[in-house]
Amino acid sequence: MKKNKPRILVIHGPNLNLLGKRETSLYGSTTFAKLNQLLKKEAEKLKLSLQTFQSNSEGQIVNKINSSLGKIDLIIINPAAYTHTSVAIRDALLAVEIPSIEVHISNIFKREEFRKQSLISDVAIGIISGLGIHSYILALEAARKVLTK
Ligand code: DQA
């Protein structure tokens, strides 16, 4: 019998749509479209079913998490600026009880004080921060491990 692939949702928070143009010394020159292409390729290799979602709006991210209930096995999330402010995204992850991995392109602990606090980290399985877009690839590999152990 064919086994169903683990279902992964990658959520990109605000301004990540501007990757490749935005503060390239911090976030690199890979465009947002290219990043999603790379993720798709990597997910195929890892035999994961992948959906990606980007929004600049907190409410839309909360809605997306809510509607993932029963449809998604693991969420990889870069909440971007909402990392440091959003009780709503934190509560949504707790509400649906879908395991999550928090990802950041930059090392949030090496930057301004306000970025050192994440409202998401302690509700996620783990956090990958500071490895550029490779942070996402590592999160996909970790997701595969978590879901097939
Ligand atoms: C970020 C770090 C956040 O502090 C920032 O607001 C972002 C991107 C990162 O991926 O490094 O938008 O999440």
Side-chain angles (χ1 to χ4, degrees), residues 66-119:
N66 285 187
S67 66
S68 297
L69 191 60
K71 297 190 193 128
I72 292 293
D73 300 307
L74 188 142
I75 295 174
I76 293 171
I77 183 164
N78 184 347
Y82 290 137
T83 307
H84 319 294
T85 62
S86 182
V87 176
I89 292 175
R90 174 194 176 86
D91 284 352
L93 290 169
L94 286 171
V96 296
E97 295 182 339
I98 300 171
S100 61
I101 299 175
E102 178 185 345
V103 160
H104 298 284
I105 296 168
S106 64
N107 181 344
I108 58 170
F109 303 102
K110 234 179 164 175
R111 299 182 59 191
E112 303 95 322
E113 275 310 308
F114 69 87
R115 289 188 208 273
K116 292 183 183 162
Q117 182 188 311
S118 164
L119 298 188

Side-chain angles (χ1 to χ4, degrees), residues 21-139:
K21 303 181 190 104
R22 167 192 186 207
E23 298 181 90
T24 52
S25 60
L26 270 174
Y27 300 120
S29 54
T30 304
T31 63
F32 180 64
K34 180 77 189 164
L35 169 61
N36 284 320
Q37 258 176 37
L38 291 172
L39 291 176
K40 213 176 137 207
K41 236 170 98 185
E42 191 63 23
E44 274 164 22
K45 258 200 251 164
L46 294 167
K47 299 194 168 50
L48 297 168
S49 139
L50 180 76
Q51 200 191 116
T52 60
F53 176 80
Q54 192 276 332
S55 177
N56 291 330
S57 140
E58 186 178 27
Q60 279 182 14
I61 294 172
V62 169
N63 286 341
K64 186 67 186 174
I65 295 170
N66 285 187
S67 66
S68 297
L69 191 60
K71 297 190 193 128
I72 292 293
D73 300 307
L74 188 142
I75 295 174
I76 293 171
I77 183 164
N78 184 347
Y82 290 137
T83 307
H84 319 294
T85 62
S86 182
V87 176
I89 292 175
R90 174 194 176 86
D91 284 352
L93 290 169
L94 286 171
V96 296
E97 295 182 339
I98 300 171
S100 61
I101 299 175
E102 178 185 345
V103 160
H104 298 284
I105 296 168
S106 64
N107 181 344
I108 58 170
F109 303 102
K110 234 179 164 175
R111 299 182 59 191
E112 303 95 322
E113 275 310 308
F114 69 87
R115 289 188 208 273
K116 292 183 183 162
Q117 182 188 311
S118 164
L119 298 188
I120 310 300
S121 299
D122 67 317
V123 304
I125 303 173
I127 163 168
I128 303 171
S129 181
L131 299 170
I133 57 160
H134 198 61
S135 295
Y136 286 91
I137 305 291
L138 291 172

